[in-house]
Structures are given as structure tokens and as C-alpha cells.
Amino acid sequence: MSMFLVEEPSWGHIRCRLRGQFCLLFLLSSTLVVRSHTEARNGNIEAETEGDQYCVLGDAAEGTRECKAKAYEKLVVEAETLMEVGDHLAASQAYISLVGMEVESSDLWFKLGQTLERTGNETGALEAFKRTSELRPKDATALLMLARLQRMSAEETKQITKNLRKSIILFGGTVEFDNESLNKWSSMNVGADHSLLQAYRTLGLVLLDMGQYKKAILYLRKALNTKDKKGLSSLRVQIGIGYYHVGRPKTALRYFKLASSDYSGNMVANELSIPPSEEYWGHDRQMDSRRDRESEKSRKLLEFLRAKLNALSHKFFLKGEGAFERREFQLARALLMEALRMNPNHLDAYHRLALVLFAKDHLEGARRTWEKGFHRSHLLSEDACGAFRYERGSCKRSGVLRHKLEHDLEHLRYMSQLERNVYSNGGGREIIRKATELLPGYERAYEMLDNALKPVEKNGGTDAYEMIIDARFLNLLDSSIYKRDWFHPPTPKVGDSSFVAINPHLDVEKLEREYQDKQILYVDNILTPEALEYAFRVCTEGPYFHNVKPWGYLGAYLNDGFYHPVVLQIAKQLQLFMENIFKGHDLMQLWAYKYASHMEGIKMHGDDAAVNVNIWLTPDESNLDKNSGGLVVYRRFPDPSWDYRTFNHYTNEAKLEKEFKDDAVKIPYRANRAVIFNSHLWHKTDNFRFRKGFKDRRINLTLLFGRRSAARTSRPSAHS
């Protein structure tokens, strides 16, 4: 079998290995790295000839044109044969070598995309079909396959719809129509081309996911000419969901009934097609007109369907969550996307779907999904937000803690004093102007809060740190930025393939062996200087700290606005770099905590994860006590019978500290030091003393991978 080994000093340290797939460097957009034709000529590709002999392809070697031609022809036959017999993994290896030899062959790129998709390598397939479409811009099938993969990876929707519309036109369809022309088209095109119907269906689903329900209904109806009863039933359910969202419950119910009759195995259709019982309608109120009676009946039917769809949405969410934890990512994605179609307000489904996309290496799609969920949360009431599992500080708008307002005031002061040229994209002037305008209101709000709390504190009140926001207070806080992502600090080069987050000079094998032995290790200089600078800037300048802890610190969570590309890159590259530590453990949560200048650390607890990573970001000059401020990890596990809440909120800390005294591993604070440990182990934040000042606040970045159930629970080695 031919080999295609990527090895280049500038990024080889990412430990990017072929292993039968595209060699991917997972950067901001999970860029596909393939040797160009020029690189191929430098002798980096080998193709098998007779027996164990290799013909080296490249002018620098002693290969001949005849040798190259024979190797190429043999590899083409080999790739096609492997594809025919269904060995897509081996076929993809062969096509990778072929596109390295013939980079302008659209046919090779198309077949490479097909084989990669069938092996589950969606990122590679996506890039292959993009290249095909560049070389053959009028290939309708390539555009359709590209758009379908773009939808699966949650890429920018404008580009997806553009590719689908172009594909439909090339297939002979139309993209502009109304209900009358739609009905005429449907009667004339029974059994229309399958690819055209698929394009209509895909575009309809994209529009449905975007919330453009009226357009979605039209395109989905154009796809109804399929002869596949199961597919027809599924389409009618999606159309019914569209009609529900535009406030036409009777039409929605009619489509659900048709879907159930089309295919009795469609459990969703069967559930939704059951109409309300007579008892549900109750006694009609006296209405002056028939129109009022119909309107009231429609309202009640809409409520009935909403309750059913919300319940079904949560069922799909739970199934998707289970599939994710079993690492069945494609199934998980389909279930979670369906959950969000039924209930676009299911905030937990956005978080889980983003985690699935992150696990599939669609980093930009994951970021976009977290962003959609975060913005959707702003439309919900505080009670509605609180009904979901994952905590969202941005939803809590009825009260404020003093240290939150103090932090935000310091943040605005800091941002208003930045140099105007601090951001290379030219947005610095606008950011500084906005911060300067908002500053007086926040200063007045803080003064009001401080004056209100002083009498409470003087009298020993227990609620000394909280004040319910009244109307006067809210008027002083700009609702467009309070607990909102009003801007994202730009970070040059993060989207560039040259950006590397993890220090390439670390002895990875040694670190992996140490972790397997002790389950605890710390790594100095874990991030490259560039990545450390960007991460600190994101946490200092970014408005992400919405989660307010009553003990004096603030949290920025992945599902609550903290989805900046820099932190996503750090998480992904860390997984790849230390693959033997994180193998089988997907990212579950990520946060940053920002503290006051000195305070007691977070109490002893365990986390619901397999591997815990803490990275400290604040410069060492801010730390006034070099022997403290870090983390204390105990080589002891909680009782296996305890649930997560019990070991995460354990109250009898003094008893445990006394009992585990000899098993404590104290790791002092150092900037750019990572502590990696089995997350099931007891641990706590050490007490600390930092300088006062906005840029001197202690900041730690925490990443959780895998589930507690997957963590090793045998006692780790006691060797120091």
C-alpha cells in the first residue's frame, strides 16, 4: 500500500499522523493539510511498485518519468478496486497519494471526498469537495455533497444555501416560486430526479434550522415527489413542524396525520398525529363571533402541539446525549438537530450539539452553535433558562453581586484606556468609544449598590453581598452589554495555519508515561508564548464572566459565551498533542475563573470528568506568594457510591484534610503551568495572595474531558 506521510518542521510537532486518514492540523477551521504538487516533486511521496521495492517520486531522487507514470497508473487501478470492494479506508489512502501527484484532477478530488466521507472523516471530505467545486464549479453533484457536509458541520448558512441553490439550478430545478407554481410543479414532476429532490430537501432543512420557516416549507414541499414512503413520512413531519412554527397548527396536524399514514413505523408522526381529546377543549367560552371561536381553538391546538413537541424534543435530546457519551457522533448529531427543530429554545441541546461538532473536529461549526445557544438564552425568561441543566450566569438578571459589578467597572475602565491601535482589525476605536460612554453609568450603579449594602453589612446582615436590581439600577446598566458578548477580542493569526497553541518542545512520551503511572502531573510552559498571550488577552479584555460565584470569583463557561476560537484551539490541540492521555475522552466542559486579589481557594471537591486540565494565565509578577496560589490534589477518590452532587459539594472538608494529609500533592502557582490529573481525585484551589489590579486578578483555564465513569479509580502511585 502506498504511503503519504506528512512531515514538516513548522507544524510536525502537532504529531499529525496519517493512520489511514487525511493528516489534519486542527486549527481554527480544521484546515486540511495536503502536499501540493510542488511538494510532491521534492521527494516526499512514495508509491509501491513491484514487491517491496519503491519508486521514489521527485526530481531530487533518481525516479524516472516512466517509473512515475507506471506508479500512478497502478495506484489508480488499486484505488478504484479498493473503492469497488468497499475498503474505503485503504482507498482513501490511495487517493491521498494520487491527489498529491495530480493536484488539478477534479475527478480524483471527488473520489477522495467520497471515500473520506465513508470512513467518517467529514473534515477531510469537506475540503476535498470544496476543491472539487473549485475545479468543477458547475458540477451539481459535487455542490450538493459539499452543501450536505457543510450543513452537518454547521458552516456559515449563507454559503450553504448559495451552493444548494446553484446545485438545484444545475439539476434543472427552480429556486423562485410561490404556492401556485409549486402545486403545478408537483403535479408535473412526480418521480423527479433523486438528486434534485435531495437538494430541495437539504435546502428546506437548512432553512428550517435557520428559522426561515415559510421558505423551508416551500422547498420541503418540492421534495415530496419521492417514491420512498419512509422518506416521504419524514418530510411531512418536517413540513408539519414548519407549519407549527408559523402558527398554523391545523395544517401542521394534517401533515402529521399524513406522515403517520405514509409510514406506520414513524414514531414521531404517530405521536404528533393524535389529536387532543374532547376533554382538552373543555367548555368553549362565549364568543361574539365564529372568527373568535376559531381563533381560540387554534390557540389551544397550538399550545397542545407545543407541549407535545417540547416533550419529544427533550426525548431526542436525551437520546442524543446518550449517543454522544457512547461516541456515536453521527447519530448524536442527527438526534440533537431534530431536538432543536422541534424546540429551538432547548439550550442544553445547543451545548451538546456543539460538543459533538467539536469532537468531529468542526471547530468553527461548534463555535457557531454555542453562539446560537447563547443568543437564544437572551430571549428566554430567567425561570425558563433555569429549567435547563447547564448553568448559565447570563440568564440571571434579577440580582447582582457587588464583586461582579466591581469587576465590570474595572473592565470598562481598562477598555476605555486601551491604545486605539491595540486591535489590528481597526475596531479598537469603536470598542474604546463604547466603553468610555458606558463608564459613568456603571460608576453610578456601583455607588448605589455600595451605599445600599453598607447598612446591611453594619448590622451583620447575611445578605450583605447581594442586591435585587430595581428599575433605577437597570437604567444605569446598559442591557446591551450587561452579561452579553458585546465584543470578542480579535487575536491575529489564530485562523492561520501557522498558529500553534501547545509547546512543541515538550517530551510528550515522558509526560504520558508519568500520567499513566501517577494520574497527576504538572507541565511548565504548556502553551506557546503566542497562545499564552492570546489566552490572557481573551480572559482580560473579553466580556465573558457572566457566572457570579458568591465567594468572590467569577466564571466564564463554554455554553455561556466563552467559546472564543483561542480557547477552542487550545482544547483541540491539547487533545491531539497528548493523545494517549485524552484518547477516548471528549471535551465535556471548559471554563475560566477570575478571582479577587486574595481569598481562600475553592473547597475540596471532585469533578464529573475523566481528565482535568488547569492552566494558569496571570503573569507571575502578580503573585505575591510564590509558594501558594496553585492547586492541591489528593491521591484519594470519593466513595464510588456517591453521586456527582455529593462529591462536588462535600461540606466536611476539615475531616477529609486530616484523613488525606499524607496524600496531598501541593502544586504552587506558575504562569503557563498546566496541572493534568484524574478529575475524580479530590482537589482544591490553594489559598492565594495576588496584587490588586484588574490585570493582576488570578485567572485559571479549566478543561474537562471524558466522563467520571471512564476515569481510572485505582489509587495512583505515591511516588513524588
Side-chain angles (χ1 to χ4, degrees):
M1 174 53 56
S2 58
M3 296 295 293
F4 186 67
L5 179 63
V6 176
E7 189 62 54
E8 188 171 305
S10 64
W11 47 263
H13 58 271
I14 296 298
R15 305 174 77 205
C16 189
R17 300 171 182 174
L18 182 60
R19 293 183 176 173
Q21 298 282 348
F22 254 145
C23 189
L24 299 178
L25 183 60
F26 296 105
L27 300 172
L28 182 65
S29 58
S30 297
T31 308
L32 178 63
V33 180
V34 183
R35 285 293 192 210
S36 68
H37 183 60
T38 304
E39 291 170 313
R41 286 169 50 197
N42 291 332
N44 292 310
I45 299 175
E46 296 175 333
E48 187 177 8
T49 56
E50 297 298 325
D52 293 329
Q53 302 299 313
Y54 283 82
C55 171
V56 180
L57 306 180
D59 296 340
E62 296 180 358
T64 64
R65 290 182 181 275
E66 185 181 355
C67 174
K68 292 179 185 180
K70 285 182 179 179
Y72 180 82
E73 290 171 8
K74 182 173 182 180
L75 202 52
V76 168
V77 174
E78 181 183 339
E80 290 175 350
T81 303
L82 289 167
M83 201 171 176
E84 286 175 8
V85 299
D87 190 348
H88 301 297
L89 187 60
S92 67
Q93 291 178 326
Y95 280 117
I96 287 170
S97 293
L98 285 166
V99 296
M101 301 176 198
E102 200 66 50
V103 293
E104 298 301 316
S105 171
S106 59
D107 189 51
L108 289 177
W109 281 105
F110 183 84
K111 290 178 179 177
L112 176 58
Q114 287 181 306
T115 57
L116 287 171
E117 184 182 7
R118 289 166 188 172
T119 61
N121 187 349
E122 292 178 359
T123 310
L126 188 63
E127 296 300 325
F129 284 124
K130 281 181 181 178
R131 184 68 180 131
T132 306
S133 298
E134 289 170 2
L135 295 168
R136 289 201 310 240
K138 293 187 177 181
D139 187 328
T141 304
L143 283 167
L144 174 58
M145 297 183 83
L146 171 59
R148 194 165 47 79
L149 283 166
Q150 287 175 319
R151 174 176 168 261
M152 291 296 101
S153 60
E155 286 205 357
E156 209 276 319
T157 48
K158 284 184 180 179
Q159 188 58 49
I160 302 173
T161 55
K162 180 181 177 182
N163 288 337
L164 284 169
R165 287 172 183 271
K166 189 175 178 182
S167 172
I168 288 168
I169 292 168
L170 290 169
F171 278 128
T174 178
V175 294
E176 299 297 336
F177 46 85
D178 52 24
N179 272 308
E180 184 179 348
S181 62
L182 173 65
N183 293 331
K184 184 179 179 182
W185 188 92
S186 299
S187 62
M188 293 172 59
N189 289 273
V190 176
D193 181 78
H194 174 73
S195 296
L196 177 57
L197 296 177
Q198 190 180 18
Y200 278 129
R201 179 181 181 277
T202 305
L203 181 53
L205 292 176
V206 170
L207 293 167
L208 204 61
D209 295 338
M210 291 170 65
Q212 296 185 20
Y213 300 116
K214 289 182 179 180
K215 286 185 178 180
I217 289 167
L218 291 174
Y219 281 105
L220 290 170
R221 285 178 62 190
K222 290 202 81 167
L224 281 174
N225 293 284
T226 177
K227 296 178 181 179
D228 173 22
K229 289 293 184 182
K230 188 175 179 180
L232 184 63
S233 176
S234 176
L235 270 172
R236 291 199 202 276
V237 168
Q238 302 304 332
I239 294 169
I241 289 172
Y243 277 117
Y244 156 76
H245 283 301
V246 297
R248 293 178 59 183
K250 288 183 180 178
T251 310
L253 187 61
R254 179 165 62 84
Y255 270 93
F256 293 145
K257 288 178 178 178
L258 287 169
S260 182
S261 63
D262 283 333
Y263 177 61
S264 60
N266 190 332
M267 304 308 292
V268 173
N270 295 342
E271 176 72 20
L272 291 171
S273 63
I274 301 172
S277 63
E278 290 298 324
E279 291 78 11
Y280 175 79
W281 299 111
H283 297 290
D284 286 340
R285 291 183 296 158
Q286 293 297 318
M287 300 288 181
D288 293 334
S289 67
R290 183 169 178 267
R291 178 181 293 179
D292 289 340
R293 288 194 297 273
E294 288 298 316
S295 177
E296 175 67 7
K297 195 167 184 178
S298 179
R299 184 191 64 79
K300 293 191 78 172
L301 181 57
L302 197 64
E303 287 180 356
F304 175 81
L305 288 178
R306 180 180 296 115
K308 278 201 167 189
L309 282 165
N310 286 353
L312 277 170
S313 171
H314 194 62
K315 284 183 182 178
F316 272 76
F317 164 73
L318 293 175
K319 288 180 179 179
E321 189 175 47
F324 170 70
E325 293 187 5
R326 295 191 304 271
R327 311 195 80 230
E328 298 173 9
F329 298 130
Q330 286 179 297
L331 175 61
R333 178 174 54 196
L335 290 165
L336 292 166
M337 289 177 76
E338 193 63 41
L340 286 168
R341 251 176 243 129
M342 295 176 182
N343 178 13
N345 291 329
H346 200 305
L347 302 183
D348 288 347
Y350 286 107
H351 180 51
R352 281 293 184 174
L353 177 57
L355 289 175
V356 170
L357 292 167
F358 186 89
K360 293 285 289 180
D361 305 313
H362 301 308
L363 270 65
E364 178 56 21
R367 188 204 63 76
R368 192 175 284 112
T369 304
W370 274 307
E371 184 177 55
K372 283 178 69 176
F374 181 63
H375 290 167
R376 175 66 68 164
S377 71
H378 301 158
L379 306 177
L380 304 184
S381 68
E382 189 169 329
D383 288 341
C385 274
F388 293 101
R389 180 189 312 165
Y390 299 104
E391 191 174 358
R392 291 169 178 84
S394 59
C395 287
K396 295 182 179 178
R397 298 180 281 270
S398 62
V400 66
L401 297 182
R402 179 157 58 186
H403 62 272
K404 163 63 175 168
L405 193 55
E406 188 174 47
H407 168 272
D408 288 1
L409 181 57
E410 288 180 9
H411 180 234
L412 284 175
R413 284 173 179 160
Y414 176 78
M415 296 304 296
S416 67
Q417 294 166 8
L418 282 177
E419 294 183 16
R420 291 175 184 266
N421 62 353
V422 70
Y423 295 134
S424 60
N425 69 348
R429 185 185 297 273
E430 177 61 26
I431 293 165
I432 293 165
R433 184 194 63 76
K434 187 163 187 175
T436 305
E437 285 181 358
L438 294 170
L439 189 55
Y442 271 73
E443 287 175 334
R444 177 64 182 138
Y446 183 75
E447 183 183 346
M448 283 177 60
L449 182 60
D450 194 46
N451 291 337
L453 289 177
K454 280 176 181 175
V456 182
E457 292 171 338
K458 187 175 180 181
N459 296 325
T462 55
D463 268 340
Y465 297 102
E466 186 162 5
M467 171 186 175
I468 301 301
I469 298 177
D470 59 21
R472 294 177 306 148
F473 197 95
L474 278 172
N475 289 336
L476 291 168
L477 296 180
D478 190 309
S479 60
S480 69
I481 74 160
Y482 184 65
K483 294 192 174 183
R484 297 290 187 269
D485 54 347
W486 58 285
F487 87 103
H488 295 284
T491 47
K493 295 187 180 179
V494 175
D496 192 317
S497 60
S498 65
F499 177 76
V500 176
I502 307 301
N503 182 353
H505 304 297
L506 298 174
D507 187 340
V508 178
E509 284 74 17
K510 181 181 177 182
L511 293 172
E512 290 174 337
R513 286 195 302 271
E514 184 178 347
Y515 182 82
Q516 297 304 325
D517 178 36
K518 302 172 186 174
Q519 300 287 285
I520 311 167
L521 67 92
Y522 70 85
V523 186
D524 284 330
N525 301 313
I526 182 73
L527 302 177
T528 61
E530 188 178 42
L532 177 64
E533 178 193 349
Y534 290 166
F536 183 62
R537 277 185 59 185
V538 165
C539 293
T540 304
E541 299 169 13
Y544 306 121
F545 290 85
H546 310 306
N547 199 291
V548 187
K549 308 293 184 179
W551 307 281
Y553 66 99
L554 305 172
Y557 284 83
L558 190 56
N559 57 296
D560 200 23
F562 191 54
Y563 39 75
H564 194 284
V566 167
V567 295
L568 298 183
Q569 284 298 329
I570 289 170
K572 178 55 71 176
Q573 292 191 29
L574 188 65
Q575 274 185 302
L576 292 172
F577 197 68
M578 299 183 181
E579 58 186 347
N580 290 327
I581 293 177
F582 299 104
K583 188 175 182 180
H585 300 312
D586 300 298
L587 181 69
M588 303 300 289
Q589 186 55 283
L590 180 156
W591 66 72
Y593 282 162
K594 191 185 287 190
Y595 301 81
S597 58
H598 64 276
M599 58 181 286
E600 290 185 2
I602 299 172
K603 304 294 184 183
M604 286 182 71
H605 64 285
D607 289 304
D608 188 16
V611 184
N612 188 313
V613 181
N614 267 256
I615 304 174
W616 298 317
L617 303 179
T618 308
D620 287 327
E621 301 78 54
S622 302
N623 184 10
L624 299 177
D625 184 353
K626 307 302 180 187
N627 296 317
S628 68
L631 199 66
V632 181
V633 183
Y634 298 86
R635 290 187 293 265
R636 292 290 192 97
F637 295 103
D639 188 313
S641 65
W642 291 359
D643 61 17
Y644 166 67
R645 183 159 188 84
T646 303
F647 71 77
N648 192 251
H649 298 82
Y650 193 71
T651 54
N652 198 348
E653 185 176 29
K655 177 188 173 186
L656 290 181
E657 282 190 324
K658 185 177 180 181
E659 183 181 345
F660 299 163
K661 178 176 61 175
D662 296 334
D663 289 307
V665 179
K666 182 177 178 178
I667 303 165
Y669 182 97
R670 295 289 184 275
N672 205 14
R673 171 176 284 178
V675 185
I676 305 174
F677 60 98
N678 184 323
S679 195
H680 202 194
L681 292 168
W682 286 105
H683 56 281
K684 69 173 186 176
T685 307
D686 198 6
N687 297 340
F688 56 86
R689 194 163 56 91
F690 276 52
R691 285 193 315 213
K692 278 198 169 186
F694 183 68
K695 287 191 74 173
D696 296 303
R697 288 173 175 259
R698 181 186 184 277
I699 301 173
N700 72 274
L701 179 66
T702 298
L703 306 96
L704 300 183
F705 296 90
R707 273 293 186 202
R708 177 192 176 200
S709 56
R712 195 177 100 182
T713 54
S714 57
R715 190 170 175 181
S717 167
H719 299 300
S720 60

